[in-house]
Amino acid sequence: MNAFSKPDTPLFRVENLTKSYGPRIGCADVSFDLYPGEVLGIVGESGSGKSTLLSCLAGHLTPDRGQITYDGRNTLSMAEAERRKLARTDWAFVHQNPRDGLRMGVSAGGNVGERLMAVGARHYGDIRAQALDWLGRVEIAGDRIDDRPRAFSGGMQQRLQIARNLVTGPRLVFMDEPTGGLDVSVQARLLDLLRGLVRDLGLSVIIVTHDLAVVRLLAHRLMVMKGGFVVEQGLTDQVLDDPQHGYTQLLVSSVLQV
Amino acid sequence: MTDQAYNFAYLDEQTKRMIRRAILKALAIPGYQVPFASREMPMPYGWGTGGVQVTAACLTPEDRLKVIDQGSDDTTNAVSIRKFFQRTAGVAITEKTAEATLIQTRHRIPETALTQGQILVYQVPIPEPLRFIEPRETETRKMHELEEYGLMHVKLYEDIARHGQIATSYAYPVRVEGRYVMDPSPIPKFDNPKLGGNAAIQLFGAGREQRIYALPPYTDVVSLDFDDHPFTATKADHGCNICGSIHSYLDEVITDDQGGRIFVCSDTDFCAERQQGTAA
């Protein structure tokens, strides 16, 4: 699917989403549509509410107000069983720290196979073949399949987490700072890999980051958050090249030039 | 004198009522772990306090009790618990599986087939089968609630990946009536086929973890496995050196420091009856 030709119906629709922690605002009045194959970047400083927003979207937190519709279904009012099923089949969540997204005591193959077994795969040979295939796709050598993630480098752990999430062929992927904590060369390879996977599989992605280079490379559209509110949104290049809001201008100008 | 100061079977009647209620609920929902207010027992955790409380709640003065530990009637654990109930309940005692109305067991199911009317009480150290792969209790309860059991197969996958076969040889997870995944307590997987379709009532008590679960008679119990790595009940590839049985579960016993060893039935009652049978 061409990512730039918009289908008629959005895959994921968010309306007036609000979440506060007591008197403090987490995120307020966030609305957007996400179309199939589209990558939405959310940037903002620490404490701007982007992680709160992502947690609400992925169903980890319950928002105070607002509507979330996925593929015509209201994810806030659906039964928990259905939501969790969605989360392990159609959705994926890539954590910033791979330790949060991986089972550290389980081998790489088991980590990738978990989602397959969760949806009913009961043939060891098939599960292993699929795990091997996915390790190859994220550039992890096949002979590491029985090693535990502990024995992997940070970049490899992150790639393993991505493989584990994509193995069931999700349509919507949430990413929370997927390149955080990696050095720049590893970051570049990971971004390259992500860009290829997103394009090949036609994934819709919501990616939260404070790294403008990441969204420049990956995101079609960009939302800038500050203090829980969305202060600016639009096409990524447009927002980054011609920032309108004062905070976005500050953000763009504070990127270090080498 | 002090023995008479206890209520029948040590526990007070209200406690027994509470435990019986938990047992009834457990029987109504096979495989589901029912919480209960486990009491302090006059023996340490790990000695079978859960099983002892379930036994105490089920005992009547007419019962004939058998207690086994690893299949044996004369190991420390079995002897202590048997003595405990002799003193506090004064019930009849037997070592014969067929004659017992209530059997408390640790780590084995007797070789002799159980019959209708018998109760088999298991001592359970850790009732939660998902514990070792998902340590959060809130999460494992949610998994039971929503029937999310994929994780149990991850454990078996790890076994095959590491050892080339499902190396879990005891506490082998089972699915009860197509619903709850259950830890059958640390019985060898050799005994797993006896869990399903059993004529006796099977009760599981975990004292430290405060859980009771149960299998009513003739319940459907399936050991989890992979299509290409099916479940097999394994035992030592030998016959019993004493009674010659090739069908019973065997203990390996070291006889000297020269590497000498023999295999004997772990079920002492079964073995003794076979010896008498051949002698007569």
Side-chain angles (χ1 to χ4, degrees):
Chain A
M1 185 189 300
N2 186 341
F4 301 105
S5 69
K6 276 191 177 178
D8 297 337
T9 50
L11 179 71
F12 195 65
R13 163 167 279 178
V14 177
E15 294 161 277
N16 303 320
L17 199 75
T18 301
K19 168 79 189 172
S20 41
Y21 301 102
R24 256 176 282 279
I25 294 175
C27 61
D29 265 341
V30 180
S31 303
F32 66 88
D33 286 347
L34 187 74
Y35 289 85
E38 196 177 27
V39 180
L40 173 71
I42 302 174
V43 294
E45 59 191 2
S46 298
S48 62
K50 47 192 198 311
S51 292
T52 300
L53 176 62
L54 196 72
S55 300
C56 287
L57 297 180
H60 300 168
L61 283 177
T62 315
D64 301 330
R65 274 193 305 283
Q67 293 288 325
I68 304 176
T69 320
Y70 172 77
D71 208 9
R73 286 183 285 172
N74 185 334
T75 65
L76 295 178
S77 62
M78 70 171 51
E80 188 176 16
E82 198 184 346
R83 187 163 57 237
R84 282 173 68 114
K85 182 144 190 269
L86 207 58
R88 62 174 191 269
T89 53
D90 263 24
W91 292 2
F93 196 104
V94 177
H95 292 266
Q96 172 177 8
N97 188 344
R99 279 158 198 277
D100 297 335
L102 292 172
R103 287 191 192 280
M104 297 307 281
V106 170
S107 71
N111 264 297
V112 178
E114 183 184 336
R115 274 170 74 111
L116 293 171
M117 292 182 242
V119 294
R122 292 292 179 265
H123 191 281
Y124 175 81
D126 292 351
I127 293 167
R128 200 163 168 85
Q130 283 213 51
L132 266 174
D133 175 45
W134 267 98
L135 288 183
R137 287 209 223 179
V138 297
E139 298 165 18
I140 295 175
D143 60 357
R144 303 297 300 271
I145 187 170
D146 291 333
D147 289 353
R148 296 186 178 187
R150 245 184 268 294
F152 287 5
S153 69
M156 277 170 85
Q157 288 181 359
Q158 196 56 284
R159 294 204 298 274
L160 179 63
Q161 194 195 174
I162 289 165
R164 163 186 161 90
N165 272 290
L166 297 186
V167 67
T168 47
R171 295 161 68 196
L172 177 59
V173 183
F174 302 99
M175 295 191 191
D176 189 5
E177 309 257 15
T179 59
L182 301 177
D183 69 66
V184 280
S185 61
V186 175
Q187 256 190 37
R189 269 181 68 197
L190 188 74
L191 284 173
D192 214 32
L193 178 81
L194 273 178
R195 197 157 55 155
L197 287 172
V198 166
R199 196 164 295 168
D200 294 347
L201 304 171
L203 300 173
S204 301
V205 181
I206 298 177
I207 183 166
V208 159
T209 182
H210 51 237
D211 189 340
L212 292 181
V214 170
V215 288
R216 177 77 101 174
L217 270 172
L218 282 178
H220 302 128
R221 278 199 302 134
L222 192 59
M223 263 170 41
V224 183
M225 293 188 73
K226 176 156 177 40
F229 291 89
V230 176
V231 293
E232 184 166 358
Q233 58 177 323
L235 295 176
T236 305
D237 291 345
Q238 183 193 330
V239 172
L240 292 183
D241 293 344
D242 183 17
Q244 300 294 314
H245 190 272
Y247 173 68
T248 318
Q249 290 171 354
L250 179 74
L251 197 68
V252 172
S253 62
S254 33
V255 173
L256 290 176
Q257 303 294 332
V258 189
Chain B
M1 178 62 206
T2 49
D3 292 357
Q4 270 66 54
Y6 290 116
N7 189 31
F8 174 73
Y10 184 75
L11 291 174
D12 61 278
E13 290 304 313
Q14 285 305 317
T15 300
K16 284 199 261 184
R17 277 182 61 161
M18 176 270 294
I19 295 173
R20 284 171 197 151
R21 254 187 237 127
I23 291 173
L24 287 175
K25 181 169 179 181
L27 283 167
I29 320 171
Y32 172 71
Q33 299 168 38
V34 183
F36 78 110
S38 177
R39 298 289 193 249
E40 292 281 337
M41 298 302 284
M43 59 189 76
Y45 289 126
W47 278 51
T49 51
V52 165
Q53 288 177 77
V54 171
T55 301
C58 291
L59 271 185
T60 64
E62 296 77 37
D63 267 320
R64 203 171 303 111
L65 180 71
K66 170 181 165 78
V67 184
I68 50 174
D69 169 11
Q70 314 266 9
S72 166
D73 285 281
D74 46 17
T75 44
T76 317
N77 202 295
V79 169
S80 315
I81 293 173
R82 190 186 308 127
K83 256 197 198 143
F84 174 76
F85 280 116
Q86 269 178 304
R87 284 184 62 180
T88 59
V91 291
I93 294 296
T94 180
E95 293 195 356
K96 300 214 179 308
T97 304
E99 287 175 9
T101 55
L102 197 156
I103 305 171
Q104 179 169 339
T105 179
R106 171 172 177 264
H107 296 198
R108 271 317 303 280
I109 299 176
E111 302 287 351
T112 312
L114 300 175
T115 54
Q116 230 160 3
Q118 287 185 309
I119 300 176
L120 185 59
V121 177
Y122 296 79
Q123 302 168 198
V124 182
I126 293 167
E128 180 50 70
L130 300 161
R131 171 80 44 91
F132 288 105
I133 210 139
E134 174 54 73
R136 287 171 295 177
E137 180 76 12
T138 48
E139 187 66 17
T140 54
R141 276 192 219 172
K142 189 115 279 174
M143 289 168 159
H144 282 297
E145 178 191 338
L146 301 174
E147 279 190 77
E148 291 177 3
Y149 290 131
L151 210 51
M152 210 64 252
H153 275 84
V154 173
K155 183 168 185 273
L156 302 180
Y157 170 95
E158 287 292 288
D159 262 10
I160 305 175
R162 205 160 300 158
H163 306 288
Q165 57 177 345
I166 300 179
T168 303
S169 56
Y170 65 94
Y172 193 100
V174 294
R175 186 110 193 227
V176 181
E177 288 286 337
R179 179 59 182 88
Y180 285 99
V181 164
M182 185 188 97
D183 182 337
S185 86
I187 59 171
K189 69 176 167 185
F190 174 82
D191 282 341
N192 267 25
K194 293 182 218 159
L195 289 165
N198 202 319
I201 295 174
Q202 298 172 77
L203 305 174
F204 299 78
R208 176 169 39 202
E209 303 261 342
Q210 314 200 322
R211 293 288 182 279
I212 286 173
Y213 50 104
L215 296 172
Y218 308 110
T219 307
D220 179 34
V221 178
V222 178
S223 303
L224 300 179
D225 59 4
F226 285 103
D227 296 344
D228 49 347
H229 285 269
F231 170 81
T232 45
T234 53
K235 68 184 266 298
D237 192 16
H238 277 273
C240 172
N241 282 59
I242 299 175
C243 77
S245 170
I246 53 167
H247 299 297
S248 68
Y249 191 75
L250 302 174
D251 285 340
E252 186 177 2
V253 182
I254 309 287
T255 49
D256 53 34
D257 55 3
Q258 313 295 311
R261 59 195 57 196
I262 57 169
F263 287 88
V264 294
C265 293
S266 93
D267 187 336
T268 47
D269 170 54
F270 177 80
C271 200
E273 281 195 12
R274 277 181 56 91
Q275 291 169 57
Q276 283 174 1
T278 47

